[in-house]
Amino acid sequence: MINRRNFLKYSAAGALGLSLRGAGPVPIFEEVPASVSGITWVHDNAMSDSRFLPETLGPGCAFVDYDNDGWMDIYLVNSGPSDFFQPKKPLRNALYHNNRDGTFTDVTEKAGVTGGTFGMGVAVGDYDNDGYPDLFVTSYGRCILYRNNRNGTFTDVTAKSGLPMGGWTTSAVWFDFDGDGRLDLFICSFVDYGTTEHLSCGDNKLGRQYYCIPRVFKPTASFLYHNNGDGTFTEVGRGTDIEKALGKGLGVVATDINNDGRMDLFVANDTVQNFLFVNRGTANGKTKWEEIALAAEVGYSDNGQARSGMGVDAADFDGDGWQDLFVANVDQEMFSLYKNNHNETFTDVAHKQSVAQATRLLSGWGLKFFDYDNDGVIDLFLASGHPDDMIEKYSNQVKYKEPLLLFHQEAGKLRNVSAEAGPAFTQLFAARGLAVGDYLNNGRRAVLIGNNGGPPLLLKNNSGEGNHWVGVKLQGTKANRDAIGARLTWSAGDVKWSRLKNNGGSYLSSHDPREVLGIGSNAKLNWLEVKWPAPSTRVERFTTLETGKYTTVVEGSGQAV
Amino acid sequence: MFRFLVMTCLSAALAFAQPAAEKQLQQAIALHQSGDFEGAIREYREYLKVRPDSMPAHSNLGAALAHVGRYEEAIEEYRAALKGDPRNAPVMLNLGLTYYKTDRIPEAAQRLEAVAALGKPSSQATLLLADCYLRMGEYQKAIGLLSPLEKDNAADPGFNYLFGSALIRGGQPDRGGVLIDRILRNGDSAEARLLLGTTKLFALDYAGAVPDLKRAVELNPKLPGVHSYYGQALLSTGDPAGAGVEFRAELEQNPTDFMANLQLGVLAKEDQNYAESSHYFDRALKCRPGDPGVRYQVATIALAQDKVEDARVALETLTKESPNFTEAHVSLATVYYRLKRKPEGDRERAIVQKLLAEQQAKQPGANPK
């Protein structure tokens, strides 16, 4: 039996790389307490009696190797001053440097990434292709683009970047939509929340305000910014379906739903239909976007109703070579798992995969498809929490804080393994953002969760015993440096796997950009093929990658295929 | 009421009997009056072989059959009786009552309306018709029917309950509250709790409705509709499993309850149990034939099962009848896209966007400062 003392002991020992397997069951994911990690930052949700809606949407989080030392650091987004909130004490975002021993050191002030707005989330990307990740922080209010100075510090370059200065932005994603080798930026815009005063939603019976359902607010158009290559961006969504599709965007993932080599966008909207923007190509400097969610059957529920989409992801979860989609919705709506039909339509298989039943009472935000145990197949991690802190006064079953869910894929079926995944899965959280990253460089990707109004949750991954892995950091030379859009195919034993390097997904958060290729019990990787994204689109094979470590794979350094 | 009408028909039967068959008919009536309904049924049938057009014999046979619970056969006999005398109010009332007992509510209402059209109906017939309207969701009709009777029935708890239900469900909670007060004067009761709970349900106070409806179930689990409304409250407060239990309990005593059938159908559909879902929707449609919401659910089942043509026909009809039915337009667009009829899909999509924009414009935050 694991009591709290033993549990903390495991955590502390785990951080030091010790094995305690003889001492009792080791959880698949194990909470790393602040006393061990050194992450003492706490999110301030600014909750007020007026219950202003931005209070309940944050925070996002990220794994980011800001100093390029090969170890994942952590960035956490906080609220801050706004037109409805003046903090009594200064609030700031947090950047934690990885000490390479399972602990972190707060370097926020030194790095110059404190924020200062009512922050929502963060999108990490090397937009200037200098090999150092930059940060884009979304906000209720002014967004911030932090350019990495390559010396452990950042500079706020928002003003001269041409990026939006106001509104309410949520998730954002870096991707190269026109294949020019530079990362462009899509930014979800949430609702028009007003400028001088804000609608309040009250309950006469309780005599209290509660968080408005976003249905009551006007939808807005999201933003697509083209990277001009000189540190500035140009808004290019105007006149396209991206501008015409008024939504209430909360989650976005960049992926390729029709295998045409161009990156598309799937946007989860709250109380409005989801959007699937298909990239129809670029001609004469203009990219055509076609919004096809209704035709693709990913826009509405089976009952013809828009759901409250929040978190989102894309992955080829069934291994058929086509990207499937996932949306986390609010309670009673159940989450959606859309299987790709290979013809720009999808079928919701959430029920067949036992996801719908498990999520009926949950409101999902951060999530990630990933092979947590390196057995070679995609699993699923879900983080939830109801947006209304007073929900328990209205509902007998739905709770404000909700449990985490973990699904393990077995013989093509997702199995809910939460009950056996560790004590963290018996706790309840007001979870929002979720990022996945290997901060211990052991091939076992950890999970970081941003909790609304509380400390973040760091979960160390203990799974994958006996399974082998190969870590790769893709480095584009012609392609965008982060190689977003690359297609990886690898072989071990007599098995072959493939993966598209999507970007974005989850909610308000950014994952470790490196790829961990699970090869199960195979001790050796036969080869890795990388089809680099445009402009080169070259295919290269790499045959000397070692298992159990990360290798930087540079475009142009492999054998041409 | 039922017994009185039977006796009336018995007397009429004797008056019309012919000498040759009189003995057999007298025997049937004697058996009927003595409570030997099976014997009476046998004798009436023998008599009708000789006199197949005897309206009184058909009517009496119908009454005997209804008494032993053979309602479907009773309906046939009442209908045969009405062929001989289409304006016979007692027979029509008996037929309406039998339809009511078999939960064929729209047909019951039709017959009771016909009774009312023939002249001043009994108060019982009026109350029965009002209850039919309630069960069909025709709340305004029920209110119109009951309002003139309020003054004379103010002390009748049954009337107050029925009228209160109509007012509350018909969007007049303040008037309904007066009726609740009248019922509460007699102490706590299932009827009062049900009315209180439904008042809160209709005011969207789902959590507030739960304790009242739970108490109503405890006080009288056989009160019509009590499980159904409790189920709705549970469903609206995030307890679909508990709601399912209540809806099933309602159907045990009231198999054609519209809401219980509709919600169980929806729950089964969410579980992709389409056969079970269709079963419930069929029963809901028996109670409210043509209900657009149920027909839409049936169409979406067809779509889910890839019976695209079936879905197309149903959805085209629905959207024609209800042009502002947004969900139906969404599904019809899906149908057209699946059928590779893109222009029509795009047309439906445009309608959806227009309808949604109109709905959005009515929201309180539509024009932020």
Side-chain angles (χ1 to χ4, degrees):
Chain A
M1 185 178 168
I2 299 177
N3 59 32
R4 180 163 172 76
R5 177 173 289 181
N6 283 336
F7 176 60
L8 293 176
K9 235 165 59 178
Y10 293 162
S11 304
L16 296 172
L18 301 176
S19 171
L20 282 167
R21 275 163 178 63
V26 177
I28 297 174
F29 283 97
E30 177 181 345
E31 181 176 355
V32 182
S35 58
V36 172
S37 69
I39 300 173
T40 56
W41 175 93
V42 176
H43 178 249
D44 186 330
N45 60 9
M47 186 183 285
S48 65
D49 289 342
S50 298
R51 295 295 195 276
F52 295 106
L53 191 54
E55 297 166 2
T56 193
L57 288 199
C61 56
F63 279 109
V64 50
D65 180 11
Y66 79 99
D67 56 354
N68 232 350
D69 66 352
W71 293 79
M72 281 294 131
D73 311 301
I74 283 175
Y75 190 66
L76 301 156
V77 179
N78 212 342
S79 67
S82 73
D83 58 3
F84 64 82
F85 176 56
Q86 289 304 317
K88 289 177 183 155
K89 59 178 183 179
L91 298 176
R92 61 177 179 80
N93 302 341
L95 178 63
Y96 280 97
H97 178 258
N98 188 330
N99 299 326
R100 309 182 188 184
D101 59 358
T103 69
F104 294 84
T105 300
D106 189 333
V107 295
T108 315
E109 299 287 351
K110 181 183 169 195
V113 287
T114 53
T117 65
F118 200 99
M120 288 281 128
V122 57
V124 179
D126 182 6
Y127 77 90
D128 52 3
N129 285 339
D130 66 352
Y132 284 78
D134 309 295
L135 306 177
F136 179 69
V137 179
T138 60
S139 299
Y140 171 71
R142 177 180 175 269
C143 299
I144 305 171
L145 177 61
Y146 286 116
R147 194 191 67 219
N148 194 318
N149 298 326
R150 294 176 260 175
N151 61 1
T153 69
F154 291 79
T155 300
D156 180 344
V157 295
T158 319
K160 63 180 180 184
S161 70
L163 292 172
M165 302 297 288
W168 186 352
T169 53
T170 54
S171 293
V173 60
W174 294 99
F175 73 124
D176 179 10
F177 69 81
D178 58 350
D180 65 357
R182 294 188 290 265
L183 289 180
D184 310 301
L185 183 62
F186 180 89
I187 309 167
C188 287
S189 176
F190 195 43
V191 299
D192 185 343
Y193 196 56
T195 50
T196 56
E197 60 184 79
H198 306 297
L199 181 74
S200 66
C201 296
D203 184 336
N204 292 332
K205 292 178 290 297
L206 294 175
R208 297 169 69 174
Q209 307 292 314
Y210 56 72
Y211 291 117
C212 293
I213 295 172
R215 183 178 296 111
V216 303
F217 298 109
K218 274 177 80 171
T220 56
S222 290
F223 306 98
L224 177 64
Y225 281 90
H226 180 254
N227 185 338
N228 300 325
D230 59 358
T232 68
F233 295 80
T234 302
E235 217 291 306
V236 293
R238 302 307 103 175
T240 72
D241 276 8
I242 290 174
E243 182 192 30
K244 292 171 192 164
L246 299 179
K248 302 175 185 183
L250 286 179
V252 59
V253 62
T255 185
D256 178 4
I257 63 118
N258 51 10
N259 283 346
D260 65 355
R262 295 187 284 262
M263 295 299 275
D264 312 304
L265 293 163
F266 183 49
V267 178
N269 283 305
D270 196 346
T271 70
V272 176
Q273 72 153 98
N274 301 318
F275 296 141
L276 181 53
F277 296 112
V278 176
N279 183 339
R280 297 299 186 197
T282 304
N284 301 320
K286 202 165 175 65
T287 301
K288 183 180 180 188
W289 295 94
E290 186 181 4
E291 199 290 297
I292 66 161
L294 202 164
E297 302 189 33
V298 296
Y300 296 85
S301 73
D302 286 346
N303 277 334
Q305 293 173 328
R307 291 191 262 194
S308 297
M310 299 182 291
V312 67
D313 203 12
D316 176 15
F317 95 95
D318 54 358
D320 65 355
W322 296 75
Q323 295 295 300
D324 309 296
L325 303 173
F326 195 96
V327 186
N329 300 305
V330 82
D331 68 282
Q332 310 305 329
E333 295 181 340
M334 295 178 279
F335 299 1
S336 317
L337 172 49
Y338 294 112
K339 177 179 163 46
N340 195 320
N341 297 328
H342 311 178
N343 59 359
E344 296 192 357
T345 74
F346 294 78
T347 300
D348 190 345
V349 296
H351 192 276
K352 284 180 184 163
Q353 290 289 343
S354 305
V355 171
Q357 300 92 319
T359 57
R360 177 185 272 280
L361 298 178
L362 302 182
S363 301
W365 305 84
L367 64 102
K368 179 66 175 164
F369 275 124
F370 72 112
D371 174 15
Y372 70 81
D373 58 353
N374 293 326
D375 64 356
V377 290
I378 299 284
D379 311 303
L380 178 63
F381 197 116
L382 302 172
S384 301
H386 199 279
D388 183 355
D389 63 300
M390 287 186 273
I391 183 63
E392 289 162 45
K393 295 187 186 304
Y394 309 109
S395 173
N396 296 329
Q397 300 290 314
V398 181
K399 305 297 178 196
Y400 173 55
K401 293 186 176 182
E402 298 179 347
L404 306 171
L405 287 183
L406 181 67
F407 290 86
H408 185 249
Q409 187 171 171
E410 296 164 8
K413 292 283 184 188
L414 290 172
R415 184 171 73 88
N416 186 347
V417 295
S418 310
E420 57 206 77
F425 291 79
T426 63
Q427 298 175 49
L428 303 175
F429 302 94
R432 296 294 187 270
L434 178 151
V436 167
D438 180 8
Y439 75 100
L440 294 170
N441 279 347
N442 62 3
R444 296 170 178 177
R445 276 160 295 177
V447 174
L448 175 67
I449 292 169
N451 288 309
N452 183 264
L457 175 68
L458 180 61
L459 295 172
K460 188 166 81 78
N461 182 343
N462 295 318
S463 68
E465 188 78 37
N467 288 335
H468 298 276
W469 59 280
V470 173
V472 291
K473 179 184 178 185
L474 297 183
Q475 182 177 315
T477 52
K478 298 284 187 189
N480 67 85
R481 178 96 179 202
D482 290 348
I484 306 301
R487 187 173 290 277
L488 298 89
T489 307
W490 66 99
S491 163
D494 55 0
V495 185
K496 195 169 84 171
W497 297 269
S498 76
R499 183 182 300 167
L500 178 67
K501 188 168 173 56
N502 296 321
N503 205 27
S506 190
Y507 172 71
L508 302 180
S509 300
S510 284
H511 308 294
D512 183 339
R514 300 172 300 178
E515 297 294 328
V516 177
L517 313 178
I519 54 175
S521 59
N522 299 287
K524 183 176 174 297
L525 183 82
N526 298 331
W527 47 262
L528 165 69
E529 266 183 22
V530 180
K531 181 177 183 187
W532 298 92
S536 79
T537 67
R538 74 178 94 187
V539 181
E540 295 176 313
R541 179 171 284 206
F542 301 85
T543 55
T544 58
L545 299 175
E546 294 179 37
T547 56
K549 63 178 284 193
Y550 286 95
T551 304
T552 299
V553 171
V554 180
E555 181 183 7
S557 66
Q559 301 167 321
V561 175
Chain B
M1 179 174 66
F2 197 36
R3 183 178 293 275
F4 172 76
L5 292 174
V6 170
M7 295 305 291
T8 302
C9 293
L10 288 173
S11 305
L14 281 168
F16 281 96
Q18 297 297 311
E22 187 178 357
K23 190 175 176 186
Q24 191 165 32
L25 182 57
Q26 282 180 331
Q27 174 66 10
I29 292 170
L31 289 168
H32 197 160
Q33 288 178 324
S34 70
D36 181 358
F37 298 103
E38 293 298 340
I41 290 166
R42 188 177 59 248
E43 293 301 320
Y44 284 133
R45 289 207 189 281
E46 288 302 317
Y47 175 74
L48 283 167
K49 285 178 185 172
V50 182
R51 304 282 184 210
D53 297 329
S54 170
M55 185 283 286
H58 279 298
S59 176
N60 281 357
L61 176 55
L65 287 164
H67 198 97
V68 296
R70 291 159 66 178
Y71 296 119
E72 292 303 323
E73 293 172 72
I75 287 168
E76 289 309 308
E77 296 305 323
Y78 286 135
R79 291 175 65 172
L82 284 173
K83 275 185 187 168
D85 185 1
R87 295 174 61 82
N88 187 307
V91 176
M92 211 177 286
L93 179 56
N94 273 355
L95 178 57
L97 186 60
T98 310
Y99 277 133
Y100 182 87
K101 281 179 173 288
T102 53
D103 286 314
R104 292 164 69 172
I105 302 302
E107 288 154 296
Q110 191 183 19
R111 296 297 173 175
L112 293 167
E113 283 171 345
V115 171
L118 288 173
K120 190 181 177 186
S122 66
S123 62
Q124 289 96 332
T126 304
L127 293 178
L128 201 61
L129 179 56
D131 192 50
C132 287
Y133 285 149
L134 266 187
R135 294 176 64 175
M136 293 164 66
E138 302 272 10
Y139 305 124
Q140 300 311 323
K141 280 187 179 178
I143 293 168
L145 204 59
L146 295 172
S147 289
L149 306 179
E150 183 180 6
K151 193 176 175 185
D152 294 338
N153 292 276
D156 180 349
F159 175 85
N160 287 331
Y161 173 66
L162 190 63
F163 192 32
S165 299
L167 289 168
I168 288 163
R169 296 177 207 175
Q172 299 185 45
D174 293 341
R175 268 183 86 189
V178 175
L179 280 293
I180 294 173
D181 290 341
R182 282 184 201 156
I183 296 170
L184 283 173
R185 277 181 212 143
N186 298 322
D188 199 7
S189 68
E191 288 82 358
R193 291 287 186 158
L194 180 55
L195 283 179
L196 277 171
T198 50
T199 303
K200 292 174 182 176
L201 267 187
F202 282 82
L204 307 183
D205 178 14
Y206 304 120
V210 167
D212 285 316
L213 294 168
K214 184 181 179 195
R215 183 67 182 140
V217 168
E218 290 166 354
L219 289 168
N220 183 4
K222 294 192 179 302
L223 184 64
V226 69
H227 292 285
S228 188
Y229 280 103
Y230 184 34
Q232 284 183 66
L234 291 174
L235 192 62
S236 302
T237 52
D239 185 4
V245 169
E246 294 304 319
F247 291 138
R248 287 187 183 86
E250 183 68 42
L251 293 184
E252 278 182 19
Q253 59 192 29
N254 185 10
T256 56
D257 182 88
F258 176 77
M259 192 54 67
N261 278 304
L262 173 61
Q263 296 297 355
L264 282 172
V266 170
L267 289 172
K269 196 185 111 180
E270 285 178 355
D271 284 339
Q272 299 186 351
N273 188 342
Y274 298 125
E276 185 180 332
S277 181
S278 297
H279 164 73
Y280 288 121
F281 289 145
D282 286 347
R283 292 213 306 203
L285 280 174
K286 278 184 185 161
C287 183
R288 295 189 190 173
D291 183 276
V294 183
R295 285 161 57 209
Y296 173 68
Q297 291 295 335
V298 172
T300 59
I301 289 176
L303 192 54
Q305 294 179 316
D306 216 23
K307 298 173 183 170
V308 187
E309 270 303 315
D310 291 352
R312 181 187 64 78
V313 172
L315 291 165
E316 284 179 346
T317 307
L318 264 176
T319 50
K320 197 171 179 182
E321 290 171 7
S322 308
N324 293 331
F325 195 161
T326 310
E327 292 87 349
H329 285 290
V330 169
S331 297
L332 184 55
T334 304
V335 163
Y336 287 137
Y337 286 128
R338 278 201 202 172
L339 292 169
K340 311 295 180 197
R341 291 164 61 172
K342 188 170 184 302
E344 286 136 307
D346 289 346
R347 182 195 67 207
E348 291 300 318
R349 181 176 182 244
I351 293 170
V352 169
Q353 288 173 339
K354 178 174 172 287
L355 290 172
L356 290 175
E358 288 168 1
Q359 291 163 21
Q360 183 68 55
K362 293 175 187 165
Q363 292 290 341
N367 297 298
K369 292 180 182 175

